[in-house]
Amino acid sequence: MTAISIEKRNDSGKRPLRIVLPQPRGFCAGVVRAIDIVEKALQLYGTPVYVRHEIVHNKHVVDSLREKGAVFVEQVDEVPVGAVAIFSAHGVSQRVEDDAKLRDLHVLDATCPLVTKVHNEAKRYTDRGFEIVLIGHEGHPEIEGTMGRVEGKVLLVSTVDDVAELQPSDKSKLAYITQTTLSVDDTAEIIAALKERFPDIEGPSASDICYATQNRQDAVKQMIGVCDLVLVIGAQNSSNSNRLREISETRGVTSYLINDADDVQLDWFDDVHTVGITAGASAPERLVQGLVEHLGQNFDTQVDNLDVVNENVTFRLPKELRSMDNLHTVN
């Protein structure tokens, strides 16, 4: 059952605007873990610490860590031999891991444990001689990392239409895995299409869509019934943030994906009485509160907090960092 608490902000002379804030939103356990790994590595080893790719897909988070001494690179060969290197939450291919060993890098792996779970599933299937169908978006770092963990050919599908084009080597030895940050509904449709075309296809016992992605999608679905407009705070290259926007759009509610309050255009609010604000799993809560404050400067706002799911998931840090106090400060 959902619970709504109401906070009223009275500001005479401004048009009323109701703001709905669903919970959960913003940082997930995998993102918190990844940020903690960078911050604690800086504390333990000093600067610089090198991070391959954006640790998570959010400019504000990356800029904050860069100011503290993290150096972000795209390739392992940009990291000095013997330096401390951190793999992003999206995971990396086996080749990247091997290249890091060749450079004698001290690696801290910030790969989300749920992404690692998908890698392990892929290995179990390939060890049994199965060809892998990977559901996901081409070019996404998580997809590149997962494909680079699979020995042999990987068949990538992004839509139901892609399923019709598949030409597996052996239809009776086929298994599917999925990117963790997709839309639950879209993934279900693709899986159904795979099972219809390949009745013998195998898949994981539970969906690979991560708990945080699903919870944030469920929260948006409950919220949009009372909203005229939805704003999703997140990076343009954030898969889970894009899915939140798409969920609103496909249900007939205008939605925008924005980096922060600076992206807001006030003409979006013409004829809007209620706006829902959520955030992707890599977006700090301070961006949500900044947007609420920005709207409060232009409207007479009432803020309703919609509690959908209570999240209490945490992930363990790498062993060498566990003894340190909690240093997480990005919010």
Side-chain angles (χ1 to χ4, degrees):
M1 179 180 293
T2 60
I4 297 180
S5 59
I6 300 177
E7 174 190 350
K8 293 185 177 180
R9 300 184 178 192
N10 296 316
D11 195 346
S12 59
K14 299 177 182 178
R15 182 165 69 83
L17 179 69
R18 181 189 180 200
I19 299 173
V20 178
L21 300 179
Q23 191 65 264
R25 62 179 181 271
F27 280 177
C28 64
V31 167
V32 171
R33 176 181 181 269
I35 294 170
D36 278 348
I37 287 174
V38 178
E39 292 183 334
K40 293 186 179 187
L42 288 166
Q43 178 78 8
L44 183 62
Y45 299 108
T47 60
V49 164
Y50 294 85
V51 184
R52 184 188 180 276
H53 193 65
E54 294 180 338
I55 188 68
V56 296
H57 281 157
N58 188 274
K59 180 180 183 296
H60 293 273
V61 171
V62 170
D63 287 348
S64 175
L65 294 173
R66 185 180 286 117
E67 290 174 1
K68 296 175 182 179
V71 177
F72 291 86
V73 301
E74 287 302 313
Q75 303 299 334
V76 168
D77 60 14
E78 299 176 57
V79 182
V81 173
V84 176
I86 299 172
F87 295 154
S88 78
H90 311 99
V92 300
S93 66
Q94 185 62 51
R95 179 176 179 178
V96 170
E97 188 172 312
D98 292 342
D99 288 347
K101 291 178 181 178
L102 290 174
R103 296 186 67 79
D104 196 29
L105 301 183
H106 183 91
V107 172
L108 293 167
D109 190 356
T111 300
C112 174
L114 298 179
V115 175
T116 300
K117 170 179 170 284
V118 175
H119 293 174
N120 293 337
E121 287 170 350
K123 186 177 186 306
R124 284 194 291 270
Y125 285 128
T126 55
D127 286 348
R128 293 169 55 200
F130 281 74
E131 191 170 7
I132 299 294
V133 176
L134 175 56
I135 303 171
H137 295 298
E138 184 176 4
H140 189 278
E142 181 184 332
I143 289 298
E144 293 179 349
T146 300
M147 293 181 73
R149 291 283 172 172
V150 177
E151 294 184 8
K153 186 178 179 182
V154 178
L155 305 173
L156 179 64
V157 297
S158 300
T159 66
V160 170
D161 290 340
D162 291 340
V163 175
E165 304 298 323
L166 289 177
Q167 297 296 331
S169 302
D170 184 350
K171 295 180 180 180
S172 66
K173 297 286 285 185
L174 202 59
Y176 70 84
I177 55 175
T178 74
Q179 182 178 332
T180 63
T181 53
L182 301 179
S183 161
V184 176
D185 295 338
D186 289 348
T187 304
E189 292 179 4
I190 295 172
I191 292 172
L194 285 170
K195 290 181 177 179
E196 181 177 359
R197 185 170 176 212
F198 308 108
D200 295 328
I201 195 170
E202 293 193 18
S205 56
S207 170
D208 284 333
I209 304 301
C210 85
Y211 80 94
T213 298
Q214 181 159 349
N215 287 347
R216 280 149 189 74
Q217 291 178 8
D218 289 345
V220 167
K221 290 175 184 177
Q222 291 205 32
M223 174 183 71
I224 58 179
V226 298
C227 294
D228 308 306
L229 173 70
V230 168
L231 300 179
V232 179
I233 298 177
Q236 297 298 315
N237 60 342
S238 166
S239 177
N240 75 89
S241 298
N242 275 285
R243 302 296 81 74
L244 295 176
R245 181 193 60 77
E246 289 173 1
I247 285 172
S248 301
E249 291 281 359
T250 56
R251 286 163 173 77
V253 180
T254 300
S255 180
Y256 297 99
L257 176 60
I258 60 175
N259 292 306
D260 50 38
D262 290 342
D263 290 345
V264 170
Q265 299 180 30
L266 292 181
D267 60 5
W268 292 347
F269 294 84
D270 293 346
D271 299 321
V272 169
H273 302 286
T274 301
V275 57
I277 300 174
T278 189
S282 301
E285 175 62 18
R286 62 182 173 85
L287 300 183
V288 175
Q289 297 306 319
L291 177 55
V292 171
E293 292 176 8
H294 175 73
L295 294 177
Q297 294 171 5
N298 295 278
F299 301 94
D300 179 11
T301 55
Q302 170 185 302
V303 180
D304 295 358
N305 297 298
L306 176 65
D307 296 323
V308 178
V309 178
N310 179 31
E311 288 183 351
N312 55 8
V313 177
T314 59
F315 293 134
R316 298 183 74 185
L317 295 171
K319 186 176 181 180
E320 64 196 275
L321 301 179
R322 289 177 199 162
S323 61
M324 301 179 65
D325 293 335
N326 188 349
L327 302 178
H328 179 61
T329 57
V330 177
N331 54 38

